[in-house]
Amino acid sequence: ASVQAYRVEGYVPFGADGTPRVGEGLAMEVGGILGISPSNAIAMIGDVLDLRHRHPALWEAFLTGEVWFWQAAKITRECSQLTPEAVATIDHHTRIAFQMGMRWTQIMYRLPAWIIEADPEKAREKERQAREARYVRLGKLVDGCTDLYGKLDGADGIALDEALDAIAKTLPE
């Protein structure tokens, strides 16, 4: 007689660090119920897990109707690469902001600074990567014109804009 092997469902991480693993079939079930793709369901489940387990103050604000889910999810996504300890710092700021009556737009305005404060090393690394990704490129010459593409840091972008304005003033009309 042969022995038939059965596969047991595994548990996978849909959320960021510090969230519980969930059954790998959950995305198929949720996707089917909501009429969305499994990959969209994974993202949505991850947002819920992150909100519930990594951002308790934000979770409470969502439950009490202070923020919509899409607003809370935007914050959780901005913090998805942070450690649970760094997210706790963000959540502390969020709790105080809600206690002070700040609106969501004010919180989003402050969020980048809170992220830098919560994990300055990661912020330095992201800045270094962005600096290394800078470039300026000219497109093909077509009908006497070319396109200019680039990514510059802020100061260089302002300097280039001013230089181009100065050059444009010297060109004949």
Side-chain angles (χ1 to χ4, degrees):
S2 67
V3 176
Q4 189 170 8
Y6 293 97
R7 185 177 182 288
V8 177
E9 179 179 50
Y11 291 92
V12 293
F14 285 173
D17 187 23
T19 62
R21 293 172 174 260
V22 295
E24 61 189 351
L26 181 62
M28 296 291 283
E29 292 180 34
V30 170
I33 291 168
L34 297 178
I36 60 176
S37 71
S39 60
N40 284 342
I42 288 170
M44 186 177 288
I45 294 165
D47 287 341
V48 171
L49 291 170
D50 289 349
L51 179 58
R52 172 65 184 92
H53 295 280
R54 288 171 45 101
H55 298 264
L58 191 55
W59 173 252
E60 186 63 31
F62 164 67
L63 291 178
T64 60
E66 290 179 75
V67 294
W68 293 95
F69 178 76
W70 69 266
Q71 294 170 318
K74 187 164 177 60
I75 293 172
T76 65
R77 284 185 215 119
E78 292 291 321
C79 299
S80 66
Q81 299 303 311
L82 297 175
T83 64
E85 296 79 19
V87 171
T89 299
I90 303 293
D91 202 55
H92 175 74
H93 285 300
T94 305
R95 180 181 318 278
I96 292 169
F98 283 122
Q99 289 171 349
M100 292 175 55
M102 280 189 195
R103 295 185 313 275
W104 181 76
T105 53
Q106 294 170 306
I107 291 170
M108 289 304 294
Y109 178 79
R110 287 165 175 79
L111 184 61
W114 295 345
I115 290 172
I116 291 168
E117 176 192 331
D119 194 341
E121 184 58 40
K122 185 175 287 292
R124 280 190 290 277
E125 177 60 21
K126 283 180 71 173
E127 181 183 1
R128 185 193 61 74
Q129 289 172 351
R131 215 174 22 258
E132 289 178 2
R134 294 177 299 179
Y135 69 94
V136 175
R137 187 175 307 126
L138 292 174
K140 287 189 332 187
L141 182 62
V142 177
D143 299 327
C145 294
T146 186
D147 293 323
L148 174 66
Y149 305 93
K151 181 177 183 175
L152 307 170
D153 64 37
D156 289 344
I158 292 168
L160 177 61
D161 185 50
E162 290 172 352
L164 291 174
D165 284 346
I167 293 168
K169 290 176 184 174
T170 67
L171 299 175
E173 292 187 31

